[in-house]
Every structure is written in C-alpha cells, then in structure tokens.
Amino acid sequence: MSPKPPREWQKIKRDSSSQLHVIIVGAGLGGLGAAIAILLAGHNVTVLESASEIGEIGAGIQVLPNSSRILISWGLEDKVAKHATMPRYANMIGWKGNHISRMDLHAYGKALGTPFWDFHRANLHRCLLDRAVELGAKLHVKSRVQTIEYAQDGLTATAVLSDSRRMSADLIVGADGISSTLREVLLGKPDPPLPTGDLAYRLLINAKDMLDDPELRHFIQDPQVNYWIGPDAHAVNYVLRGGELFNMVLLVPDDMPATAMTVDGNVEEMQALYRDWDPRIGKILRLCQSVQKWKLCIRPTLEQWSHESGTFTLLGDAVHATLPYLASGCGMALEDGAALGLCLARLTDKSCEQKLRALKVYEECRKERTERVVNRGNYQQYLYHVHDGEVQRERDRRLKKFGEIDKQLFKNPEIITQTRSDSGDDPLPWRYYGVGGWLLNYDVEKDVDHKWEQLREQDRARPLL
C-alpha cells in the first residue's frame, strides 16, 4: 500500500487578538522556511537580512525525504520539482575506485512517499523566497541586528540594528546562521563556531565538458550521488539542474587560517590532494577553473534555545550547525521552521504564557533530534576517513552486509516507514539500519501533536502531585 502524500497546509485566518508580529533575522533557507510556516500559521512576518540583497551562495544541496515532505506541505511541490534532480542511487566507492555498496534512493522515496531531491541552492532559495512573499512576508535588506532588548511587560522584544534602527515584535527568531550574533546575544557571551578539522572545496563543472569523455558521461546521463571514501578525506558529487551542472565537494583536512571561514582555493593544490585516488576524480578536477575553500564547523546544541520572556528564540545553524556528512543541515533548519510554525499555529492569544508554551514544545520537538544529527555527522567524519587496514575492511564489510539487508527490506517496503528509536551500524547513514529509520521517516506534524499532548497531560497531572 502506497503511503499517503503529505497534507498541504492551508493558511490560518486570525484576528488581532491572537496574531503575532514575528521578526525573523536572516533570509537564508532556514529563515525563509520559518517565515513560510509562521505565515501559514496566520501570523505576520518581517524578515531582516544583513546583506544588500537577498540571495544564496554555494552550489549543490541535497534534500532528503523528511525535508521534501515539508516543502510539499508548504505548497511548493510544483515550483521546486522543476529545479530538482532525482538521483537513482547513493553509491559508496573506495578511494581507488572500487564500488562497495549502494542505496536505492528511488525505492526509498517510493516507500516513504516523498523523494530525494538535489538542487542548486540558488534555485531552492528562490522558491522559498517567492513563497514567503506570496504569503505576505515583508523583507528588509541592509538590516544587521546587533542585539535584542526586552520590554518591561515581557510581551515584546526589540531588534536593535547596526544603523540604530529599532524594530519591535511579539517574537524574534534568530536564524542568522553558523556565525550567529544572536546566539551570543542569548548566551550573553562570545561563542564562536567549533572547527571540526575539515574543510570543503566546492566546485561546479559544466556537464557538457563531461559528456565528451566516455569515462565521465555516465555521471551526467544517469544521475546518482557518489561518495568516494578514503584516508583523511572523501569526495561527493551529483548532478544539478537537469544535467546542466555537476556538483563536486571535496572534504579534506583543514589548513585554513583560524579566523577564516571562506577563502579562494588553489586548483593545483586541490588536484594534488586527489592525485592517487580514482583516476575519474582527477579527470573531473582537471575541468575545474577556480574553487573556494570553506571551513567546516559545528554548533553544539544549547541547554535553552529561547529567552525566558518567550519573545526570542533561535533556529537552524545558529543553534545546531552540523557537518554536511548527513546532508541534513538544511533539512534540520526546515524542520525547525515547520515545527515552530505548527506550535505558533496553536496560539489563541498573544500572552507570555502561550508563547512560552509554544516555544517549550518547539524545543522538545527539536533539541534531541538535531543533537543526534550533529553527533552522527561527527561519527561519519570518522567512518569516511579511516586509513586502509582492519578498520577500513570492517567498515566495507558492514557496507556490503547492510546493502544485502536493504534488498530484503524492500520485499516488504512498509517496514521503511516504521520508526526506529536507535541508530544502527550501517556506515551508509541514510539506509534504514543507519539513521534512516529515524531520520527519513520523520513527520513534524505528528511530533508536534505528540509533544503538545504530552505537555497537556503533564499539566493535568501537576495538581495531583
């Protein structure tokens, strides 16, 4: 039996007694996702962006079924699907080019009812931006928030901007990314991102250049996600824009200055790092003209995501940035926005008590799950980068074993939809016995319903204690 398609959310109509004015700081993927969800909940939203124009830098981004479910729920399926590539398999390949194991992404997408999509970040960002504006978001560029001040009555907060403007709201959401100022405002102290010891070279190749090479053209003609894993490094690639572009990310030890997050890379230096790897990687890299290096950092989660007044909270990379090794940073930010919107949809007034309740459920839904993603991303860093030897052979043995288990699972694909509470030993993390059993089949609406009811039951039981 095929799973039901996601329910498309309809915009709630409110009067002024329960309609919040929400300021979202940051117009990245997470901030715009939150804007959509909160607008659909019937509230008013203003988005403040520090840059001079709203856009997205970067190259490719992978959207897993738990995230595509949310995009579909927000009424974006038709808009985003025309920009998406749907890869057939995720392949694990040894650094010398030996194929180890694979995951059938189409089969998983069919079983779960929502697809794996690959996008150019700019296309996905534009779709989110257009949807937010369509729903009524107000956007301000050149609006850098320096601090937050709280009203004496506890009902509103004020964003203080670098040009001395002041903007007040019933709720301010800090979605200002991994180098978040607002995380430090909430903590009341400096708290820089934590380097992981890795950096990423990100590059885009014109697919036409690869179609001319018999050894490379199949990468374009049969879109798949490919992971080469080897000593201290790995490489990932996939197709974008229906075969126009080939996205390549190289993950290697960090040699960037401590304070730098992004610098121009040296193409020859990058190519030399993969000189002894699968010759196909070398061929692809010889098509590269320029490249940037990105320091990879994480943000361990906070004990508390929100201010005690209920007028300020955090979202996305500002509170739980992860390594990209589960391809779930964007997904977690979209889930955050969806959960926050669903919680704010339940408000019946604008009181401090109701906002605090909504933010409590929001944190209950998000904190443990995002922490698990950060931790598993750290573990994948280890698994992908082991040197040849006994540990590597055991990893590859497990990859092959769980590949066979996966084939058996699809004799009864409904199993894939059943949530596992624990992570498994499969080194290909998206598969069911990796973290797929709790990552891919997540339903944010059910989670909010469950956590809200748990809190209600706690309230009922409290007078009896």
Side-chain angles (χ1 to χ4, degrees), residues 4 6 64-73 112-114 442-443:
K4 291 182 180 179
L64 312 187
N66 53 301
S67 312
S68 63
R69 172 177 294 276
I70 289 169
L71 295 174
I72 294 167
S73 296
L112 293 166
T114 51
Y442 178 72
D443 187 323

Side-chain angles (χ1 to χ4, degrees), residues 266-312:
N266 180 287
V267 173
E268 290 77 18
E269 178 184 275
M270 173 190 71
Q271 292 168 339
L273 292 169
Y274 287 83
R275 183 178 293 124
D276 297 327
W277 286 53
D278 183 343
R280 293 175 297 175
I281 293 180
K283 278 192 168 187
I284 294 169
L285 297 186
R286 284 194 288 276
L287 299 174
C288 176
Q289 303 300 314
S290 63
V291 70
Q292 280 198 312
K293 295 161 72 169
W294 301 64
K295 186 184 292 288
L296 298 181
C297 297
I298 60 170
R299 286 283 200 183
T301 193
L302 299 174
E303 283 299 310
Q304 189 170 324
W305 292 21
S306 306
H307 188 264
E308 60 189 13
S309 66
T311 61
F312 173 41

Side-chain angles (χ1 to χ4, degrees), residues 198-357:
D198 281 359
L199 65 80
Y201 286 96
R202 304 183 192 272
L203 50 147
L204 287 173
I205 306 293
N206 188 325
K208 290 180 181 178
D209 295 336
M210 296 177 62
L211 289 171
D212 293 334
D213 190 316
E215 270 197 305
L216 301 182
R217 66 169 62 115
H218 74 280
F219 288 121
I220 307 301
Q221 294 171 337
D222 184 12
Q224 303 183 29
V225 181
N226 301 295
Y227 284 76
W228 282 265
I229 50 180
D232 299 323
H234 71 287
V236 186
N237 60 37
Y238 46 92
V239 174
L240 300 177
R241 291 181 174 166
E244 291 181 15
L245 295 172
F246 192 68
N247 185 72
M248 189 90 170
V249 187
L250 308 176
L251 298 309
V252 300
D254 182 4
D255 63 358
M256 291 169 58
T259 57
M261 293 295 284
T262 308
V263 299
D264 290 332
N266 180 287
V267 173
E268 290 77 18
E269 178 184 275
M270 173 190 71
Q271 292 168 339
L273 292 169
Y274 287 83
R275 183 178 293 124
D276 297 327
W277 286 53
D278 183 343
R280 293 175 297 175
I281 293 180
K283 278 192 168 187
I284 294 169
L285 297 186
R286 284 194 288 276
L287 299 174
C288 176
Q289 303 300 314
S290 63
V291 70
Q292 280 198 312
K293 295 161 72 169
W294 301 64
K295 186 184 292 288
L296 298 181
C297 297
I298 60 170
R299 286 283 200 183
T301 193
L302 299 174
E303 283 299 310
Q304 189 170 324
W305 292 21
S306 306
H307 188 264
E308 60 189 13
S309 66
T311 61
F312 173 41
T313 193
L314 295 175
L315 174 149
D317 280 355
V319 68
H320 53 66
T322 178
L323 278 166
Y325 299 168
L326 286 184
S328 289
C330 169
M332 291 303 101
L334 295 178
E335 285 184 8
D336 287 352
L340 183 57
L342 290 168
C343 290
L344 296 177
R346 294 171 179 255
L347 297 187
T348 57
D349 62 45
K350 299 193 288 187
S351 66
C352 176
E353 291 75 19
Q354 287 219 8
K355 286 189 287 183
L356 283 170
R357 186 181 193 84

